[in-house]
Amino acid sequence: MTDAEGGIAALFDDLVTLAANCRFRDCQHETEPGCAIRQALDQGQIDAPRVARWRKLAAEERFNSSTLSERKMQGKSLRKMVKASQQKKNRR
Ligand SMILES: [Zn+2]
């Protein structure tokens, strides 16, 4: 878990707890049936603008962590290439 993820979870603790009751684990809280967030919104238990902010932050966090792992993978393959070219040089 990154610091950013922990920060979002702490800021929106009640929403994170509610989201655990959604029928789907990857619920986007939009049109999914059995969504606990939408149910709480309908009942006026939570604030719609706050949910929107939380969803935006969570989406950004997902985007950031995915690009980070992609970058890591690119770095790995680059090192492999460098190593391979160095070995070729040594053989000569
Ligand atoms: Zn949901």
Side-chain angles (χ1 to χ4, degrees), residues 8-64:
I8 292 172
L11 266 172
F12 300 95
D13 185 42
D14 52 337
L15 298 183
V16 172
T17 306
L18 267 173
N21 296 321
C22 288
R23 192 181 295 173
F24 304 109
R25 278 192 68 187
D26 60 344
C27 187
Q28 300 298 303
H29 322 302
E30 280 174 351
T31 55
E32 287 91 340
C35 175
I37 294 287
R38 287 185 56 83
Q39 199 186 338
L41 269 174
D42 285 345
Q43 292 171 354
Q45 290 174 14
I46 49 176
D47 208 25
R50 196 155 164 267
V51 172
R53 210 158 68 228
W54 170 59
R55 279 180 44 201
K56 190 170 173 283
L57 282 171
E60 276 171 14
E61 176 56 33
R62 267 200 300 277
F63 175 76
N64 286 343

